[in-house]
């Protein structure tokens, strides 16, 4: 197959995986009210808040943000809660049902785009994010291509943000871990940040119904048990 055919086949595989996953019983493990999900969302929000304040600043009202693979829009809603202007936010998603959900539950003004970043010619964003997107792409060349597209969409001095998995899941061959070395190879960074977070879900599920501070304490004292990371990298002026 040529490169175009390979790319289309990978995109079709990813779409099929998400359609199957979002229609299955596995979603029950990620219900918003489960104790471990509540704690994971809180942990992620804490790290997002710290890193965004350290990089783009505490005032998000003028920030232009592009969220690649935005799903149902959760990250953009978080930014709106923290003061971002909906009219300056753009979300891209390949699954129509998830994009429709994002439109339905998010403040008006956000720009929603159905498709892939390479077809849209978007430029001059202050922050370009991709969350559990790279791990869904198994082909290394296509990961690098997405990284290049994100970099082109970023203004000089802006930041890329990646939230993803640190480890492979032997029970899920549809995803592959993302390493810091791989990310460092994608972008010629003027500056970067890396934080691991969130207790590995199988352990967290067992501990979640105990004292609320136990998962946080375990994640704090045993960094190898943290299953995810947030990576931010700045484009030179």
């Amino acid at each position: 197959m040529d490169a175009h055919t390979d790319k289309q086949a990978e995109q079709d595989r990813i779409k099929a995986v998400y359609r199957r996953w979002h229609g299955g019983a596995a979603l029950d493990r990620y219900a918003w009210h489960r104790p471990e999900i509540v704690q994971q969302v809180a942990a992620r929000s804490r790290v997002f808040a710290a890193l965004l304040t350290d990089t783009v600043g505490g005032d998000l009202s003028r920030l232009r943000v592009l969220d690649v693979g935005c799903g149902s829009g959760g990250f953009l809603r978080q930014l709106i809660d923290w003061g971002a202007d909906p009219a300056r936010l753009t979300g891209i998603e390949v699954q129509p049902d998830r994009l429709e959900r994002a439109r339905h539950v998010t403040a008006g003004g956000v720009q929603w785009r159905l498709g892939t970043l390479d077809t849209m010619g978007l430029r001059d964003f202050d922050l370009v994010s991709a969350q559990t997107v790279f791990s869904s792409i198994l082909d290394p060349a296509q990961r690098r291509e997405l990284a290049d597209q994100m970099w082109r969409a970023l203004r000089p001095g802006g930041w890329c943000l990646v939230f993803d998995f640190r480890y492979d899941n032997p029970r899920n061959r549809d995803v592959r871990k993302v390493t810091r070395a791989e990310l460092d190879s994608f972008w010629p960074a003027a500056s970067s940040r890396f934080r691991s977070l969130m207790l590995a879900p199988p352990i967290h599920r067992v501990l979640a119904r105990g004292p609320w501070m136990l998962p946080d304490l375990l994640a704090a004292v045993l960094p190898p048990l943290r299953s995810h990371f947030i990576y931010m990298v700045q484009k030179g002026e």
Side-chain angles (χ1 to χ4, degrees):
M1 292 191 292
D2 60 26
H4 176 76
T5 304
D6 286 344
K7 183 175 180 179
Q8 187 60 54
E10 178 69 350
Q11 290 176 0
D12 290 344
R13 183 196 65 80
I14 293 170
K15 290 178 182 179
V17 168
Y18 273 96
R19 282 195 299 269
R20 184 171 67 249
W21 190 81
H22 279 273
L27 273 181
D28 292 343
R29 291 186 300 174
Y30 300 95
W32 66 270
H33 54 80
R34 291 179 64 96
E36 70 273 19
I37 300 302
V38 173
Q39 293 169 8
Q40 289 166 8
V41 170
R44 183 163 58 176
S45 294
R46 287 196 300 268
V47 178
F48 274 143
L51 287 179
L52 290 174
T53 302
D54 187 44
T55 55
V56 299
D59 181 4
L60 306 183
S61 63
R62 300 189 62 81
L63 200 69
R64 294 191 70 232
V65 181
L66 172 62
D67 191 20
V68 180
C70 65
S72 58
F75 178 61
L76 296 182
R77 285 193 297 278
Q78 179 72 84
L79 296 183
I80 293 169
D81 285 345
W82 289 343
D85 179 355
R88 294 176 178 269
L89 309 182
T90 300
I92 296 175
E93 176 56 48
V94 297
Q95 299 290 345
D97 57 333
R98 302 188 78 195
L99 201 63
E100 184 56 35
R101 175 66 177 167
R103 288 193 182 101
H104 180 68
V105 300
T106 307
V110 178
Q111 301 297 308
W112 304 107
R113 302 289 190 90
L114 179 65
T116 54
L117 180 56
D118 60 322
T119 64
M120 297 181 184
L122 299 172
R123 296 291 185 272
D124 297 323
F125 286 89
D126 302 297
L127 178 68
V128 179
S129 63
Q131 301 185 44
T132 60
V133 173
F134 281 95
S135 57
S136 298
I137 303 171
L138 303 184
D139 179 44
Q142 293 188 39
R143 286 186 173 192
R144 179 170 292 278
E145 184 177 349
L146 174 60
D148 290 344
Q149 294 163 10
M150 292 173 65
W151 205 244
R152 286 194 294 271
L154 199 63
R155 69 162 178 82
W159 291 81
C160 276
L161 182 155
V162 177
F163 169 77
D164 227 311
F165 299 108
R166 297 178 68 200
Y167 301 116
D168 286 328
N169 181 349
R171 297 182 178 180
N172 186 354
R173 296 185 178 182
D174 292 315
V175 297
R176 183 170 64 82
K177 69 180 179 182
V178 184
T179 68
R180 183 172 185 178
E182 183 179 14
L183 294 170
D184 285 340
S185 74
F186 288 158
W187 296 301
S191 180
S192 66
R193 309 284 191 278
F194 183 93
R195 289 277 299 276
S196 60
L197 68 154
M198 291 168 51
L199 193 63
I203 302 173
H204 206 152
R205 291 187 194 106
V206 173
L207 299 179
R209 296 192 181 278
W212 66 266
M213 75 291 290
L214 184 58
D216 280 350
L217 179 61
L218 197 59
V221 300
L222 293 174
L225 295 184
R226 301 172 193 164
S227 56
H228 292 68
F229 68 85
I230 296 175
Y231 175 89
M232 295 189 68
V233 57
Q234 187 179 30
K235 188 174 185 179
E237 298 282 356

